[in-house]
Amino acid sequence: MDTFLVQPVSKRAARLSIGAFFFIAGLCFASWASRIPDIKLKLGLSDGGLGAVLFALPVGLMVSLPFSGWLVHHFGSRKMVLLSAVLYPLILCNIGLVQATWQLVLVLFAFGLTGNLFNIAVNTQAVSLEVLYGRSIMASFHGIWSLAGFTGASIGTLMINFHLPPLIHFCIITGTAYLLIALLYRNSLRQDINADDDRPLFAKPDATLLKLGLIAMCCMVCEGAMFDWSGVYFQKVVEAPKGLIPLGYTAFMSTMAGGRFAGDKLVARVGTLRVLQISGLVIATGLIVAIGFPSIVTATVGFMLVGIGVSSVVPLVYGVAGKSTVFSPGVALAAVSTIGYLGFLAGPPMIGFIAEGVNLRVSFAVIAVLGFMTTVIASKTKF
């Protein structure tokens, strides 16, 4: 593993800087998500039409995966963090400007593309800083992203209550992001680990990266299920009152965020392998509780367990992948992300197909099995 050039800033200052970029990424994404209903109404989209349009974002994300790692490797994560951190909020503002469906499709494609470059670059910075610290700090950065999601959703609710249009809302978010960039970018890391020019840029993942990608995929299937189907589960299976339908999603998000802030300390005590093994068991247990006892209280507890289970998996997988001795951090992260995001994209539709053919509880049972596979694959992976 290569050594760093002497860093001109303290580790604490670098951590604050990198944390700010994670916050910007989460804030921008949550701000867009909070105004989807308003934009749907503005463009007169049906539910099916909206679903088709929204697919442009993950398509942009997937398209960017092959070259995001190359860009980060070739130009360095510091430059790519700055580029993507400037473009991502700017594209968010353009979402507020759209007047036609085709415009929204193009802008969402660019939003997904830029967002993934941001993701790879900022995680590469985090991996490099983790090496400097000599201990796990990755989960806390992803916790900041989750905290930014809550903040963005809350600001969105406030903007809606004040009847401010999405464009004004998004411009405020962009201004906030640019202020953070101006104040903290100078403290970002100037060199990445394993930045050798002779490392392969385009090669199939080795066995370790493949297994890490599969772990991420199993976890992200579960995350996608919670994001897209937790409300439907509470509505149709739990039969919760209308005001309590979002309770499952809120429970999941709260424990996922909290678990990420606690994850690094747990890794320091029991190690990465054990945390991943426990995580898979907790995911499966939570889903089994929600399936077997579909009342408001037990399903909420079950979804809370799922949030705890998924909280540290992707951050830990990214942390291990970024320290690959075969690939540069950006390329390794892109490889793992490519496999992982397949689960995020395929999971929600798979649930729908199974639910239509059988029922929603059986769909969640399949997700529970995939969650448990996190434990199985982790047990067969070298860390």
Side-chain angles (χ1 to χ4, degrees):
M1 182 175 294
D2 291 345
T3 55
F4 287 104
L5 295 176
V6 177
Q7 295 293 341
V9 297
S10 69
K11 290 187 292 185
R12 185 180 296 274
R15 188 169 186 175
L16 180 62
S17 174
I18 296 168
F21 284 108
F22 272 94
F23 188 86
I24 291 169
L27 183 66
C28 289
F29 184 82
S31 298
W32 140 247
S34 70
R35 302 309 295 262
I36 290 175
D38 295 305
I39 294 171
K40 175 178 180 289
L41 183 64
K42 175 182 176 181
L43 298 180
L45 294 170
S46 64
D47 290 343
L50 176 65
V53 168
L54 292 180
F55 197 62
L57 195 153
V59 168
L61 184 152
M62 292 299 294
V63 167
S64 73
L65 281 168
F67 63 82
S68 291
W70 180 86
L71 287 170
V72 171
H73 174 88
H74 188 73
F75 295 104
S77 64
R78 190 170 194 259
K79 291 179 181 177
M80 290 302 101
V81 161
L82 178 60
L83 175 65
S84 54
V86 170
L87 290 178
Y88 198 49
L90 183 62
I91 295 171
L92 176 69
C93 282
N94 278 274
I95 295 176
L97 288 170
V98 297
Q99 300 294 326
T101 301
W102 67 268
Q103 294 173 347
L104 182 59
V105 169
L106 291 178
V107 176
L108 286 182
F109 178 85
F111 197 58
L113 190 150
T114 310
N116 184 65
L117 177 60
F118 200 175
N119 174 55
I120 299 299
V122 75
N123 274 285
T124 300
Q125 284 267 305
V127 167
S128 299
L129 185 62
E130 189 172 70
V131 171
L132 285 175
Y133 265 85
R135 58 182 172 84
S136 177
I137 59 171
M138 182 66 80
S140 64
F141 284 129
H142 286 250
I144 291 172
W145 190 95
S146 297
L147 179 63
F150 278 115
T151 304
S154 300
I155 292 173
T157 301
L158 187 66
M159 295 293 177
I160 292 169
N161 288 334
F162 279 117
H163 305 290
L164 288 177
L167 178 59
I168 301 300
H169 173 191
F170 295 160
C171 286
I172 292 172
I173 297 299
T174 299
T176 302
Y178 285 176
L179 178 61
L180 288 173
I181 294 169
L183 291 174
L184 298 170
Y185 172 71
R186 66 180 181 275
N187 293 329
S188 58
L189 296 180
R190 285 160 171 76
Q191 183 174 340
D192 304 325
I193 62 167
N194 296 341
D196 307 70
D197 291 335
D198 59 350
R199 291 177 184 271
L201 294 179
F202 301 103
K204 69 177 183 179
D206 60 12
T208 298
L209 285 184
L210 180 60
K211 290 176 182 177
L212 291 173
L214 290 174
I215 293 170
M217 183 178 71
C218 290
C219 178
M220 294 179 82
V221 167
C222 300
E223 284 192 42
M226 291 293 103
F227 290 146
D228 291 1
W229 287 94
S230 57
V232 178
Y233 191 86
F234 260 63
Q235 180 185 45
K236 293 187 174 181
V237 178
V238 178
E239 297 182 347
K242 185 176 181 180
L244 294 179
I245 287 175
L247 182 60
Y249 176 78
T250 303
F252 164 77
M253 285 296 294
S254 61
T255 54
M256 184 175 73
R260 284 177 168 173
F261 284 112
D264 292 322
K265 291 183 179 180
L266 187 59
V267 170
R269 288 188 176 186
V270 303
T272 299
L273 172 59
R274 189 58 58 85
V275 171
L276 289 174
Q277 290 172 327
I278 294 171
S279 295
L281 289 171
V282 174
I283 292 170
T285 300
L287 287 167
I288 290 170
V289 168
I291 295 165
F293 308 96
S295 67
I296 291 177
V297 174
T298 51
T300 300
V301 171
F303 283 13
M304 290 175 70
L305 288 173
V306 176
I308 293 171
V310 304
S311 61
S312 297
V313 175
V314 171
L316 291 182
V317 165
Y318 277 10
V320 175
K323 300 181 186 73
S324 170
T325 58
V326 179
F327 299 92
S328 67
V331 173
L333 287 170
V336 170
S337 293
T338 300
I339 301 170
Y341 274 113
L342 290 176
F344 196 77
L345 296 177
M350 180 182 69
I351 290 177
F353 292 140
I354 297 174
E356 187 171 343
V358 190
N359 60 55
L360 199 54
R361 293 172 78 179
V362 172
S363 297
F364 272 63
V366 173
I367 300 303
V369 173
L370 290 173
F372 179 68
M373 288 303 296
T374 298
T375 299
V376 175
I377 301 171
S379 300
K380 299 179 181 297
T381 305
K382 292 182 179 180
F383 293 93

